[in-house]
Amino acid sequence: MEPLLVTDLKQWVYCPRVVFYRMRMPGAGRPTYKMEEALRAQQRLEDLEMRRTLREYGLSGAVRQFGVWLTDRDLGLSGRIDLLLRGESDAGVVDFKLTSGEPGGNHRMQLNGYALLVEAALGLPVRMTFLYRIPDGRIFAYPFGDEERMKVRRSIAEIRQMEVAGELPPPTEVRRRCEDCEYANYCADIW
């Protein structure tokens, strides 16, 4: 099987149907305005990020690497890290989000997926992950430990089980998420 995308982990927490549709109907989802705007904002942010000190991340000797693609076949995961903070003996991951709301469990899962991928692919331990909220420049720091590693591995196993079974998972219970979904046209049972 092809490696899962780290963004599949995020979507699995947000709405598992998004993962199902992406796997079963590649290319069917249409990027939303919000998705496209987030990409533009991220490109502007990368230039500004180079002026920031690493003090807020607690990795003063780290080197910044933007847009790092990693794959680990044993883990079965692949993804593009917005910002990898690579030190000599450890690393941190930063994900940029164009949102005004508080980070949700889906964002934490994505960060955890990147952290586990860094550990597997690069052999560097990750102790902290960071979400950079673009509109206000606020940085949210989250510890990364054994519990987070287990959650990622469990989600990978659940997604693989869904992939093999080929059964449409239940939709998210939060119906307002469906309003801006790139696969909204395929969920006739909830409209």
Side-chain angles (χ1 to χ4, degrees):
M1 288 187 189
E2 287 295 311
L4 296 174
L5 299 175
V6 172
T7 53
D8 289 334
L9 296 170
K10 176 184 74 168
Q11 296 295 10
W12 188 252
V13 173
Y14 193 76
C15 178
R17 284 189 173 184
V18 172
V19 180
F20 177 86
Y21 291 135
R22 189 196 69 76
M23 291 176 150
R24 294 290 176 169
M25 303 180 309
R30 296 181 179 194
T32 65
Y33 171 78
K34 188 175 176 181
M35 295 164 118
E36 292 173 350
E37 190 58 32
L39 288 174
R40 285 190 286 274
Q42 181 175 328
Q43 290 167 351
R44 291 188 302 267
L45 180 63
E46 287 180 12
D47 293 335
L48 297 173
E49 180 63 30
M50 291 306 292
R51 296 184 218 162
R52 170 190 299 276
T53 68
L54 295 173
R55 186 183 72 239
E56 289 187 65
Y57 299 121
L59 294 163
S60 58
V63 173
R64 288 179 178 96
Q65 295 178 293
F66 294 97
V68 177
W69 270 100
L70 294 176
T71 299
D72 187 85
R73 294 254 178 226
D74 292 335
L75 184 58
L77 206 54
S78 181
R80 181 187 174 276
I81 301 169
D82 289 344
L83 174 57
L84 173 64
L85 303 171
R86 190 174 185 162
E88 288 184 27
S89 60
D90 61 352
V93 294
V94 182
D95 199 49
F96 303 132
K97 293 293 179 199
L98 184 64
T99 181
S100 57
E102 292 300 306
N106 58 321
H107 299 122
R108 294 276 311 273
M109 179 61 79
Q110 184 177 12
L111 286 167
N112 294 339
Y114 287 134
L116 191 61
L117 183 56
V118 166
E119 290 183 342
L122 300 179
L124 292 171
V126 176
R127 292 174 186 82
M128 296 294 291
T129 62
F130 305 92
L131 185 141
Y132 184 104
R133 191 167 62 190
I134 295 172
D136 61 4
R138 183 170 170 198
I139 295 173
F140 297 84
Y142 302 104
F144 181 71
D146 289 339
E147 183 179 337
E148 289 77 19
R149 287 178 188 91
M150 285 179 17
K151 286 180 181 179
V152 172
R153 290 184 184 280
R154 188 174 356 173
S155 292
I156 291 171
E158 290 171 357
I159 294 169
R160 291 301 189 194
Q161 185 178 13
M162 178 270 305
E163 186 178 18
V164 169
E167 294 179 11
L168 181 67
T172 178
E173 293 179 8
V174 184
R175 291 293 186 253
R176 65 181 161 77
R177 292 177 179 168
C178 303
E179 294 170 8
D180 292 327
C181 178
E182 65 267 39
Y183 295 100
N185 291 341
Y186 299 99
C187 288
D189 61 322
I190 64 166
W191 294 104

